[in-house]
Structure formats: structure tokens, C-alpha cells
PDB file of all heavy atoms in Angstrom:
ATOM      1  N   GLY A   1      -8.249 -12.711  -7.036  1.00  0.00           N
ATOM      2  CA  GLY A   1      -6.987 -12.999  -7.701  1.00  0.00           C
ATOM      3  C   GLY A   1      -6.039 -11.833  -7.555  1.00  0.00           C
ATOM      4  O   GLY A   1      -6.442 -10.658  -7.627  1.00  0.00           O
ATOM      5  N   MET A   2      -4.769 -12.119  -7.384  1.00  0.00           N
ATOM      6  CA  MET A   2      -3.805 -11.074  -7.081  1.00  0.00           C
ATOM      7  C   MET A   2      -3.385 -10.264  -8.288  1.00  0.00           C
ATOM      8  O   MET A   2      -2.647  -9.288  -8.149  1.00  0.00           O
ATOM      9  CB  MET A   2      -2.588 -11.681  -6.381  1.00  0.00           C
ATOM     10  CG  MET A   2      -2.960 -12.425  -5.114  1.00  0.00           C
ATOM     11  SD  MET A   2      -1.576 -12.716  -4.005  1.00  0.00           S
ATOM     12  CE  MET A   2      -1.304 -11.067  -3.361  1.00  0.00           C
ATOM     13  N   GLU A   3      -3.846 -10.647  -9.474  1.00  0.00           N
ATOM     14  CA  GLU A   3      -3.599  -9.830 -10.663  1.00  0.00           C
ATOM     15  C   GLU A   3      -4.851  -9.068 -11.079  1.00  0.00           C
ATOM     16  O   GLU A   3      -4.875  -8.428 -12.131  1.00  0.00           O
ATOM     17  CB  GLU A   3      -3.124 -10.715 -11.822  1.00  0.00           C
ATOM     18  CG  GLU A   3      -1.897 -11.552 -11.496  1.00  0.00           C
ATOM     19  CD  GLU A   3      -0.751 -10.721 -10.941  1.00  0.00           C
ATOM     20  OE1 GLU A   3      -0.526  -9.600 -11.434  1.00  0.00           O
ATOM     21  OE2 GLU A   3      -0.089 -11.196  -9.996  1.00  0.00           O
ATOM     22  N   SER A   4      -5.906  -9.132 -10.273  1.00  0.00           N
ATOM     23  CA  SER A   4      -7.160  -8.456 -10.601  1.00  0.00           C
ATOM     24  C   SER A   4      -7.068  -6.967 -10.301  1.00  0.00           C
ATOM     25  O   SER A   4      -6.203  -6.512  -9.546  1.00  0.00           O
ATOM     26  CB  SER A   4      -8.314  -9.075  -9.815  1.00  0.00           C
ATOM     27  OG  SER A   4      -8.157  -8.808  -8.425  1.00  0.00           O
ATOM     28  N   GLU A   5      -7.979  -6.207 -10.862  1.00  0.00           N
ATOM     29  CA  GLU A   5      -8.024  -4.781 -10.581  1.00  0.00           C
ATOM     30  C   GLU A   5      -8.386  -4.527  -9.125  1.00  0.00           C
ATOM     31  O   GLU A   5      -7.939  -3.548  -8.519  1.00  0.00           O
ATOM     32  CB  GLU A   5      -9.028  -4.084 -11.499  1.00  0.00           C
ATOM     33  CG  GLU A   5      -9.202  -2.588 -11.241  1.00  0.00           C
ATOM     34  CD  GLU A   5      -7.870  -1.827 -11.216  1.00  0.00           C
ATOM     35  OE1 GLU A   5      -6.956  -2.175 -11.992  1.00  0.00           O
ATOM     36  OE2 GLU A   5      -7.747  -0.876 -10.414  1.00  0.00           O
ATOM     37  N   GLN A   6      -9.210  -5.406  -8.543  1.00  0.00           N
ATOM     38  CA  GLN A   6      -9.557  -5.247  -7.136  1.00  0.00           C
ATOM     39  C   GLN A   6      -8.320  -5.362  -6.250  1.00  0.00           C
ATOM     40  O   GLN A   6      -8.151  -4.600  -5.297  1.00  0.00           O
ATOM     41  CB  GLN A   6     -10.588  -6.302  -6.728  1.00  0.00           C
ATOM     42  CG  GLN A   6     -11.014  -6.244  -5.276  1.00  0.00           C
ATOM     43  CD  GLN A   6     -11.728  -4.949  -4.923  1.00  0.00           C
ATOM     44  OE1 GLN A   6     -12.284  -4.296  -5.820  1.00  0.00           O
ATOM     45  NE2 GLN A   6     -11.709  -4.563  -3.665  1.00  0.00           N
ATOM     46  N   ALA A   7      -7.438  -6.327  -6.549  1.00  0.00           N
ATOM     47  CA  ALA A   7      -6.209  -6.475  -5.776  1.00  0.00           C
ATOM     48  C   ALA A   7      -5.343  -5.232  -5.909  1.00  0.00           C
ATOM     49  O   ALA A   7      -4.749  -4.753  -4.921  1.00  0.00           O
ATOM     50  CB  ALA A   7      -5.447  -7.716  -6.233  1.00  0.00           C
ATOM     51  N   ARG A   8      -5.259  -4.687  -7.106  1.00  0.00           N
ATOM     52  CA  ARG A   8      -4.435  -3.503  -7.325  1.00  0.00           C
ATOM     53  C   ARG A   8      -5.025  -2.283  -6.622  1.00  0.00           C
ATOM     54  O   ARG A   8      -4.299  -1.459  -6.067  1.00  0.00           O
ATOM     55  CB  ARG A   8      -4.275  -3.247  -8.819  1.00  0.00           C
ATOM     56  CG  ARG A   8      -3.398  -4.290  -9.489  1.00  0.00           C
ATOM     57  CD  ARG A   8      -3.291  -4.096 -11.002  1.00  0.00           C
ATOM     58  NE  ARG A   8      -2.256  -4.969 -11.511  1.00  0.00           N
ATOM     59  CZ  ARG A   8      -0.979  -4.654 -11.579  1.00  0.00           C
ATOM     60  NH1 ARG A   8      -0.583  -3.457 -11.167  1.00  0.00           N
ATOM     61  NH2 ARG A   8      -0.085  -5.506 -12.042  1.00  0.00           N
ATOM     62  N   ALA A   9      -6.351  -2.169  -6.642  1.00  0.00           N
ATOM     63  CA  ALA A   9      -6.990  -1.050  -5.948  1.00  0.00           C
ATOM     64  C   ALA A   9      -6.730  -1.135  -4.443  1.00  0.00           C
ATOM     65  O   ALA A   9      -6.464  -0.124  -3.785  1.00  0.00           O
ATOM     66  CB  ALA A   9      -8.489  -1.046  -6.237  1.00  0.00           C
ATOM     67  N   ALA A  10      -6.804  -2.353  -3.891  1.00  0.00           N
ATOM     68  CA  ALA A  10      -6.525  -2.533  -2.469  1.00  0.00           C
ATOM     69  C   ALA A  10      -5.073  -2.197  -2.152  1.00  0.00           C
ATOM     70  O   ALA A  10      -4.775  -1.594  -1.115  1.00  0.00           O
ATOM     71  CB  ALA A  10      -6.849  -3.965  -2.050  1.00  0.00           C
ATOM     72  N   ALA A  11      -4.152  -2.593  -3.033  1.00  0.00           N
ATOM     73  CA  ALA A  11      -2.739  -2.292  -2.806  1.00  0.00           C
ATOM     74  C   ALA A  11      -2.490  -0.784  -2.865  1.00  0.00           C
ATOM     75  O   ALA A  11      -1.732  -0.237  -2.042  1.00  0.00           O
ATOM     76  CB  ALA A  11      -1.881  -3.016  -3.837  1.00  0.00           C
ATOM     77  N   ARG A  12      -3.116  -0.079  -3.809  1.00  0.00           N
ATOM     78  CA  ARG A  12      -2.955   1.378  -3.876  1.00  0.00           C
ATOM     79  C   ARG A  12      -3.493   2.035  -2.600  1.00  0.00           C
ATOM     80  O   ARG A  12      -2.905   2.982  -2.074  1.00  0.00           O
ATOM     81  CB  ARG A  12      -3.688   1.941  -5.092  1.00  0.00           C
ATOM     82  CG  ARG A  12      -3.109   1.529  -6.437  1.00  0.00           C
ATOM     83  CD  ARG A  12      -3.812   2.258  -7.580  1.00  0.00           C
ATOM     84  NE  ARG A  12      -3.732   1.476  -8.804  1.00  0.00           N
ATOM     85  CZ  ARG A  12      -4.733   0.783  -9.325  1.00  0.00           C
ATOM     86  NH1 ARG A  12      -5.927   0.793  -8.733  1.00  0.00           N
ATOM     87  NH2 ARG A  12      -4.569   0.094 -10.428  1.00  0.00           N
ATOM     88  N   HIS A  13      -4.617   1.532  -2.121  1.00  0.00           N
ATOM     89  CA  HIS A  13      -5.206   2.091  -0.901  1.00  0.00           C
ATOM     90  C   HIS A  13      -4.287   1.849   0.299  1.00  0.00           C
ATOM     91  O   HIS A  13      -4.054   2.757   1.110  1.00  0.00           O
ATOM     92  CB  HIS A  13      -6.569   1.436  -0.663  1.00  0.00           C
ATOM     93  CG  HIS A  13      -7.311   1.985   0.511  1.00  0.00           C
ATOM     94  ND1 HIS A  13      -7.677   3.312   0.626  1.00  0.00           N
ATOM     95  CD2 HIS A  13      -7.753   1.376   1.652  1.00  0.00           C
ATOM     96  CE1 HIS A  13      -8.319   3.497   1.775  1.00  0.00           C
ATOM     97  NE2 HIS A  13      -8.370   2.339   2.414  1.00  0.00           N
ATOM     98  N   LEU A  14      -3.744   0.649   0.411  1.00  0.00           N
ATOM     99  CA  LEU A  14      -2.825   0.347   1.516  1.00  0.00           C
ATOM    100  C   LEU A  14      -1.567   1.191   1.414  1.00  0.00           C
ATOM    101  O   LEU A  14      -1.077   1.729   2.421  1.00  0.00           O
ATOM    102  CB  LEU A  14      -2.480  -1.141   1.489  1.00  0.00           C
ATOM    103  CG  LEU A  14      -1.577  -1.652   2.614  1.00  0.00           C
ATOM    104  CD1 LEU A  14      -2.218  -1.423   3.971  1.00  0.00           C
ATOM    105  CD2 LEU A  14      -1.275  -3.128   2.415  1.00  0.00           C
ATOM    106  N   ASN A  15      -1.041   1.341   0.206  1.00  0.00           N
ATOM    107  CA  ASN A  15       0.155   2.161   0.020  1.00  0.00           C
ATOM    108  C   ASN A  15      -0.119   3.628   0.337  1.00  0.00           C
ATOM    109  O   ASN A  15       0.764   4.349   0.814  1.00  0.00           O
ATOM    110  CB  ASN A  15       0.671   2.012  -1.408  1.00  0.00           C
ATOM    111  CG  ASN A  15       1.213   0.624  -1.692  1.00  0.00           C
ATOM    112  OD1 ASN A  15       1.435  -0.162  -0.784  1.00  0.00           O
ATOM    113  ND2 ASN A  15       1.424   0.309  -2.959  1.00  0.00           N
ATOM    114  N   ARG A  16      -1.340   4.073   0.056  1.00  0.00           N
ATOM    115  CA  ARG A  16      -1.709   5.451   0.395  1.00  0.00           C
ATOM    116  C   ARG A  16      -1.654   5.660   1.911  1.00  0.00           C
ATOM    117  O   ARG A  16      -1.185   6.705   2.382  1.00  0.00           O
ATOM    118  CB  ARG A  16      -3.107   5.748  -0.140  1.00  0.00           C
ATOM    119  CG  ARG A  16      -3.718   7.022   0.403  1.00  0.00           C
ATOM    120  CD  ARG A  16      -4.943   7.461  -0.364  1.00  0.00           C
ATOM    121  NE  ARG A  16      -6.017   6.487  -0.338  1.00  0.00           N
ATOM    122  CZ  ARG A  16      -7.175   6.660  -0.981  1.00  0.00           C
ATOM    123  NH1 ARG A  16      -7.363   7.753  -1.715  1.00  0.00           N
ATOM    124  NH2 ARG A  16      -8.113   5.745  -0.912  1.00  0.00           N
ATOM    125  N   ILE A  17      -2.123   4.678   2.669  1.00  0.00           N
ATOM    126  CA  ILE A  17      -2.082   4.787   4.130  1.00  0.00           C
ATOM    127  C   ILE A  17      -0.639   4.785   4.627  1.00  0.00           C
ATOM    128  O   ILE A  17      -0.216   5.648   5.404  1.00  0.00           O
ATOM    129  CB  ILE A  17      -2.877   3.640   4.771  1.00  0.00           C
ATOM    130  CG1 ILE A  17      -4.363   3.753   4.395  1.00  0.00           C
ATOM    131  CG2 ILE A  17      -2.708   3.644   6.291  1.00  0.00           C
ATOM    132  CD1 ILE A  17      -5.178   2.532   4.785  1.00  0.00           C
ATOM    133  N   HIS A  18       0.142   3.807   4.156  1.00  0.00           N
ATOM    134  CA  HIS A  18       1.532   3.704   4.605  1.00  0.00           C
ATOM    135  C   HIS A  18       2.381   4.868   4.117  1.00  0.00           C
ATOM    136  O   HIS A  18       3.376   5.224   4.754  1.00  0.00           O
ATOM    137  CB  HIS A  18       2.140   2.396   4.096  1.00  0.00           C
ATOM    138  CG  HIS A  18       1.608   1.180   4.785  1.00  0.00           C
ATOM    139  ND1 HIS A  18       1.751  -0.088   4.270  1.00  0.00           N
ATOM    140  CD2 HIS A  18       0.929   1.028   5.948  1.00  0.00           C
ATOM    141  CE1 HIS A  18       1.190  -0.960   5.078  1.00  0.00           C
ATOM    142  NE2 HIS A  18       0.689  -0.308   6.115  1.00  0.00           N
ATOM    143  N   GLY A  19       2.011   5.463   2.982  1.00  0.00           N
ATOM    144  CA  GLY A  19       2.829   6.522   2.402  1.00  0.00           C
ATOM    145  C   GLY A  19       2.902   7.776   3.232  1.00  0.00           C
ATOM    146  O   GLY A  19       3.736   8.643   2.972  1.00  0.00           O
ATOM    147  N   ARG A  20       2.043   7.887   4.220  1.00  0.00           N
ATOM    148  CA  ARG A  20       2.093   9.070   5.078  1.00  0.00           C
ATOM    149  C   ARG A  20       3.294   9.040   6.020  1.00  0.00           C
ATOM    150  O   ARG A  20       3.681  10.057   6.592  1.00  0.00           O
ATOM    151  CB  ARG A  20       0.797   9.146   5.902  1.00  0.00           C
ATOM    152  CG  ARG A  20       0.664  10.399   6.748  1.00  0.00           C
ATOM    153  CD  ARG A  20      -0.666  10.433   7.463  1.00  0.00           C
ATOM    154  NE  ARG A  20      -0.833  11.667   8.210  1.00  0.00           N
ATOM    155  CZ  ARG A  20      -1.902  11.967   8.917  1.00  0.00           C
ATOM    156  NH1 ARG A  20      -2.915  11.126   8.965  1.00  0.00           N
ATOM    157  NH2 ARG A  20      -1.989  13.112   9.571  1.00  0.00           N
ATOM    158  N   TYR A  21       3.883   7.865   6.192  1.00  0.00           N
ATOM    159  CA  TYR A  21       4.904   7.682   7.208  1.00  0.00           C
ATOM    160  C   TYR A  21       6.215   7.214   6.604  1.00  0.00           C
ATOM    161  O   TYR A  21       6.261   6.721   5.483  1.00  0.00           O
ATOM    162  CB  TYR A  21       4.425   6.668   8.245  1.00  0.00           C
ATOM    163  CG  TYR A  21       3.049   6.939   8.766  1.00  0.00           C
ATOM    164  CD1 TYR A  21       1.988   6.106   8.444  1.00  0.00           C
ATOM    165  CD2 TYR A  21       2.802   8.054   9.564  1.00  0.00           C
ATOM    166  CE1 TYR A  21       0.712   6.368   8.920  1.00  0.00           C
ATOM    167  CE2 TYR A  21       1.532   8.313  10.038  1.00  0.00           C
ATOM    168  CZ  TYR A  21       0.492   7.469   9.713  1.00  0.00           C
ATOM    169  OH  TYR A  21      -0.765   7.732  10.179  1.00  0.00           O
ATOM    170  N   ARG A  22       7.269   7.321   7.388  1.00  0.00           N
ATOM    171  CA  ARG A  22       8.584   6.835   6.992  1.00  0.00           C
ATOM    172  C   ARG A  22       8.797   5.461   7.629  1.00  0.00           C
ATOM    173  O   ARG A  22       9.106   5.372   8.818  1.00  0.00           O
ATOM    174  CB  ARG A  22       9.672   7.812   7.436  1.00  0.00           C
ATOM    175  CG  ARG A  22       9.537   9.201   6.812  1.00  0.00           C
ATOM    176  CD  ARG A  22      10.648  10.124   7.309  1.00  0.00           C
ATOM    177  NE  ARG A  22      10.556  11.427   6.678  1.00  0.00           N
ATOM    178  CZ  ARG A  22       9.890  12.455   7.187  1.00  0.00           C
ATOM    179  NH1 ARG A  22       9.261  12.328   8.336  1.00  0.00           N
ATOM    180  NH2 ARG A  22       9.852  13.609   6.559  1.00  0.00           N
ATOM    181  N   ILE A  23       8.623   4.405   6.850  1.00  0.00           N
ATOM    182  CA  ILE A  23       8.717   3.040   7.366  1.00  0.00           C
ATOM    183  C   ILE A  23       9.922   2.374   6.709  1.00  0.00           C
ATOM    184  O   ILE A  23       9.980   2.281   5.479  1.00  0.00           O
ATOM    185  CB  ILE A  23       7.441   2.235   7.048  1.00  0.00           C
ATOM    186  CG1 ILE A  23       6.207   2.972   7.575  1.00  0.00           C
ATOM    187  CG2 ILE A  23       7.530   0.830   7.644  1.00  0.00           C
ATOM    188  CD1 ILE A  23       4.902   2.296   7.216  1.00  0.00           C
ATOM    189  N   PRO A  24      10.880   1.896   7.471  1.00  0.00           N
ATOM    190  CA  PRO A  24      12.039   1.220   6.880  1.00  0.00           C
ATOM    191  C   PRO A  24      11.618  -0.041   6.121  1.00  0.00           C
ATOM    192  O   PRO A  24      10.706  -0.758   6.539  1.00  0.00           O
ATOM    193  CB  PRO A  24      12.919   0.877   8.092  1.00  0.00           C
ATOM    194  CG  PRO A  24      12.472   1.798   9.178  1.00  0.00           C
ATOM    195  CD  PRO A  24      11.011   2.022   8.946  1.00  0.00           C
ATOM    196  N   ASN A  25      12.296  -0.303   5.031  1.00  0.00           N
ATOM    197  CA  ASN A  25      12.000  -1.498   4.249  1.00  0.00           C
ATOM    198  C   ASN A  25      12.186  -2.771   5.073  1.00  0.00           C
ATOM    199  O   ASN A  25      11.444  -3.753   4.906  1.00  0.00           O
ATOM    200  CB  ASN A  25      12.894  -1.552   3.010  1.00  0.00           C
ATOM    201  CG  ASN A  25      12.480  -2.630   2.035  1.00  0.00           C
ATOM    202  OD1 ASN A  25      11.458  -2.530   1.357  1.00  0.00           O
ATOM    203  ND2 ASN A  25      13.269  -3.691   1.939  1.00  0.00           N
ATOM    204  N   ASP A  26      13.161  -2.778   5.992  1.00  0.00           N
ATOM    205  CA  ASP A  26      13.377  -3.947   6.853  1.00  0.00           C
ATOM    206  C   ASP A  26      12.143  -4.272   7.687  1.00  0.00           C
ATOM    207  O   ASP A  26      11.832  -5.444   7.922  1.00  0.00           O
ATOM    208  CB  ASP A  26      14.567  -3.709   7.782  1.00  0.00           C
ATOM    209  CG  ASP A  26      15.906  -3.853   7.072  1.00  0.00           C
ATOM    210  OD1 ASP A  26      15.895  -4.248   5.889  1.00  0.00           O
ATOM    211  OD2 ASP A  26      16.937  -3.577   7.690  1.00  0.00           O
ATOM    212  N   ASP A  27      11.436  -3.233   8.162  1.00  0.00           N
ATOM    213  CA  ASP A  27      10.238  -3.473   8.958  1.00  0.00           C
ATOM    214  C   ASP A  27       9.112  -4.044   8.096  1.00  0.00           C
ATOM    215  O   ASP A  27       8.375  -4.932   8.529  1.00  0.00           O
ATOM    216  CB  ASP A  27       9.782  -2.179   9.633  1.00  0.00           C
ATOM    217  CG  ASP A  27      10.741  -1.726  10.725  1.00  0.00           C
ATOM    218  OD1 ASP A  27      11.702  -2.474  11.022  1.00  0.00           O
ATOM    219  OD2 ASP A  27      10.550  -0.629  11.273  1.00  0.00           O
TER     220      ASP A  27
END
């Protein structure tokens, strides 16, 4: 479920990977 803690943990992990770079919001 997308409101579960597992979903949030996965989103934090993905954001941690992407956060290393400068990615335009349009992309």
C-alpha cells in the first residue's frame, strides 16, 4: 500500500539516490 511505512521507506531510499544529482523537475 502506498501509505504504508514500507512505501515511505522505499521513497526515502529512491530520493536518497536521486538527491546526489541535479535533476530538473520537468525530467
Side-chain angles (χ1 to χ4, degrees):
M2 303 198 73
E3 304 308 320
S4 67
E5 177 52 36
Q6 179 64 23
R8 290 177 170 272
R12 293 186 206 105
H13 184 60
L14 183 60
N15 292 347
R16 167 167 61 182
I17 296 170
H18 289 163
R20 185 177 183 179
Y21 311 110
R22 299 179 178 92
I23 305 176
N25 190 72
D26 284 354
D27 291 355

